[in-house]
Amino acid sequence: MFPVTSEAGEYRPLADRMRPQTLADFAGQEHLLGPDKPLRLAIERGQLHSMVFWGAPGTGKTTLARIISTSCEAQFLILSAVLSGVKEIREAIAKARQYRDVYARDTVLFIDEAHRFNKSQQDAFLPHVENGTITFVGATTENPSFELNNALLSRVRVYVLKPLARDALNRVVRQGLQDRERGLGNKNLQISDEALELLVDSADGDARRALNLLEIAADLAASEGITAALVREVVSGSSYRRFDKGGDVFYEQISALHKSVRGSAPDAALYWFARMLDGGCDPLYIARRVVRMASEDIGNADPRGLRLALDAWETQERLGAPEGELAIAQAIVYLACAPKSNAVYKAYNVALEDVKSTASAEVPLHLRNAPSGLMKGLGYGKKYRYAHDEPDAYAAGESYFPDDMAARQYYYPTNRGLEIQIAEKLARLRKLDEKTQKN
């Protein structure tokens, strides 16, 4: 039987004992390791190159780095960015240089939690990656584009590891249960199909968690084996949804929520809302983003959407959960079902670009307020036409842009919702302007 304890007498969890030793044992990541995929070919041919593995916990980043090192007959050194600094980096580089000089072989330097190294620490690797002293293999759960500096990124290839699919997790659990050398095969335990399904669901794409849950269930199992009731007991009270507050999954999910609302898909929008709440997201953050959706994607097609979004935000602030969350859900569904318009959003951006790209034009005299006699004497407010004194409360032909700036049209109402009427009114007013200018 595969030892449950290390040489130092420390207990070895099932997830560690079942760590794959070869690509044949590795589960998942077919998009990287399938037949004829570049990474698989590089590993099989012993062609080392520096790389970064980006993926959620339990997707095989460390395991794959070890397999690469073994396949290429290279020394494997590991540093944790949480526990290491420049001193440890220098010591690892010295070991790599010595190993190359003595054995003429490469060294894979695996950096766990690579995103936790600061810029100067990351820079310490550059000359040694450049001259081939080490093959840098980093692992990160954070987006390398934001967490690793450009100098290091330019010297590595980034591989994205995906959460394990159900069939891959199913395979991992069954191997752990049946393997007599490394796993739990000597216990001769059976697992029901329902229990297996519950366990795989609870793992949420994480192979390590799947094996940890399996080991706990196996320790508690009676003669009838691992049942669905037992798995429910093991996983009860624990939520393990992939959601890192402020990280990539966070922004991916809020993006999915926003795009579902924009795409008039209320059911999908509710799903992503529920996912974010389940992951621990602050409902007030979502409420603020819902207000943004109301302005950006619904706009004047249905101005009631903005008011409803603000009311939901206030309800959450006043009442908290669950009443506030229900109000946010109501606003989300309303916005998803409402007519859509980004006309104001587009108009605002074009106007803002105009302002940034042109000189600071003065306010025309007739539009300036004149609270003092001096200002009146300077012509402030002179010839201003008070709209309410004009027919239909509209000063036809009047200009409100700076004197040296031609009139612009930024806002183009859509033919949806209330903007249909807004467009009709604006068209009517423009005809009045044209008529006045001709006269």
Side-chain angles (χ1 to χ4, degrees):
M1 178 182 171
F2 197 85
V4 177
T5 57
S6 66
E7 293 180 0
E10 298 173 340
Y11 165 72
R12 295 188 62 200
L14 176 64
D16 184 49
R17 304 199 306 269
M18 291 300 299
R19 189 184 296 276
Q21 305 298 312
T22 66
L23 286 180
D25 296 330
F26 195 89
Q29 313 309 332
E30 288 83 0
H31 64 293
L32 299 177
L33 302 174
D36 299 325
K37 296 294 183 180
L39 180 57
R40 185 183 191 96
L41 292 176
I43 296 172
E44 291 176 342
R45 295 170 182 174
Q47 298 171 336
L48 283 172
H49 62 274
S50 291
M51 63 193 81
V52 169
F53 294 139
W54 172 25
T59 52
K61 299 185 290 294
T62 303
T63 297
L64 188 53
R66 289 182 181 275
I67 290 175
I68 290 172
S69 176
T70 301
S71 300
C72 298
E73 299 182 343
Q75 176 182 212
F76 184 77
L77 301 178
I78 183 170
L79 291 179
S80 169
V82 177
L83 304 174
S84 305
V86 173
K87 176 186 176 183
E88 288 76 15
I89 294 174
R90 289 173 178 166
E91 291 175 351
I93 297 300
K95 289 181 181 179
R97 188 177 290 115
Q98 181 181 23
Y99 193 78
R100 183 180 61 180
D101 293 342
V102 174
Y103 299 104
R105 292 193 179 279
D106 296 316
T107 293
V108 170
L109 180 55
F110 178 71
I111 308 299
D112 197 18
E113 304 278 353
H115 58 278
R116 295 187 182 273
F117 272 140
N118 61 37
K119 185 179 184 301
S120 63
Q121 290 170 322
Q122 292 180 32
D123 286 343
F125 295 108
L126 299 180
H128 311 294
V129 172
E130 196 74 34
N131 63 24
T133 302
I134 60 169
T135 297
F136 179 96
V137 180
T140 178
T141 57
E142 304 295 331
N143 191 329
S145 301
F146 305 128
E147 303 298 336
L148 301 183
N149 64 44
N150 290 334
L152 182 57
L153 278 177
S154 69
R155 291 167 171 80
V156 302
R157 181 167 179 180
V158 176
Y159 294 102
V160 180
L161 275 66
K162 300 178 181 179
L164 270 66
R166 294 184 61 84
D167 58 344
L169 283 175
N170 192 309
R171 171 186 165 191
V172 167
V173 171
R174 290 197 178 279
Q175 284 180 335
L177 195 61
Q178 298 168 1
D179 193 310
R180 291 184 173 275
E181 294 296 323
R182 300 178 296 165
L184 305 171
N186 62 310
K187 292 190 174 186
N188 296 315
L189 287 172
Q190 299 297 316
I191 184 170
S192 70
D193 291 341
E194 184 182 0
L196 179 59
E197 185 175 342
L198 285 171
L199 197 151
V200 167
D201 282 341
S202 299
D204 203 34
D206 185 333
R208 185 187 301 110
R209 177 171 169 81
L211 290 172
N212 288 341
L213 291 173
L214 174 64
E215 187 170 24
I216 295 171
D219 288 341
L220 298 174
S223 57
E224 67 269 24
I226 300 175
T227 63
L230 176 59
V231 173
R232 288 192 187 95
E233 182 179 343
V234 169
V235 303
S236 63
S238 64
S239 176
Y240 195 73
R241 300 291 183 260
R242 288 188 297 278
F243 187 86
D244 49 348
K245 302 174 186 177
D248 272 354
V249 175
F250 175 90
Y251 290 109
E252 288 168 1
Q253 291 186 10
I254 193 62
S255 175
L257 171 58
H258 194 151
K259 289 179 172 65
S260 297
V261 169
R262 180 184 295 151
S264 299
D267 298 310
L270 278 177
Y271 170 80
W272 291 115
F273 175 54
R275 277 284 301 274
M276 296 189 76
L277 290 181
D278 182 63
C281 181
D282 183 357
L284 287 174
Y285 170 81
I286 301 176
R288 183 173 68 82
R289 289 300 298 260
V290 171
V291 170
R292 166 73 184 223
M293 298 171 201
S295 287
E296 180 179 340
D297 294 296
I298 286 80
N300 286 337
D302 188 348
R304 294 170 297 183
L306 180 56
R307 183 63 263 170
L308 188 62
L310 289 169
D311 287 343
W313 188 347
E314 184 179 1
T315 302
Q316 177 64 39
E317 285 184 325
R318 287 173 176 264
L319 302 181
E323 293 86 354
E325 294 167 358
L326 179 59
I328 297 172
Q330 178 187 349
I332 287 172
V333 170
Y334 185 91
L335 296 179
C337 297
K340 303 299 186 292
S341 171
N342 68 344
V344 173
Y345 176 67
K346 291 168 65 178
Y348 168 72
N349 286 332
V350 175
L352 195 61
E353 185 59 33
D354 254 6
V355 169
K356 290 180 178 180
S357 62
T358 57
S360 300
E362 292 187 351
V363 176
L365 288 177
H366 71 284
L367 296 181
R368 300 185 191 185
N369 196 25
S372 70
L374 174 61
M375 292 177 171
K376 289 180 180 178
L378 293 173
Y380 285 27
K382 187 178 181 180
K383 297 183 180 179
Y384 170 65
R385 297 165 60 190
Y386 187 57
H388 294 286
D389 292 338
E390 301 280 342
D392 295 323
Y394 181 66
E398 183 64 281
S399 173
Y400 297 92
F401 280 96
D403 291 333
D404 57 351
M405 180 178 176
R408 303 276 205 276
Q409 182 176 352
Y410 300 122
Y411 179 46
Y412 292 87
T414 67
N415 61 348
R416 295 180 292 276
L418 182 62
E419 282 197 321
I420 295 174
Q421 299 176 48
I422 294 175
E424 291 172 350
K425 177 178 179 178
L426 291 178
R428 185 171 67 253
L429 296 180
R430 288 192 180 96
K431 286 183 179 179
L432 289 174
D433 287 338
E434 294 171 0
K435 184 179 180 180
T436 302
Q437 289 166 1
K438 288 179 181 179
N439 295 335

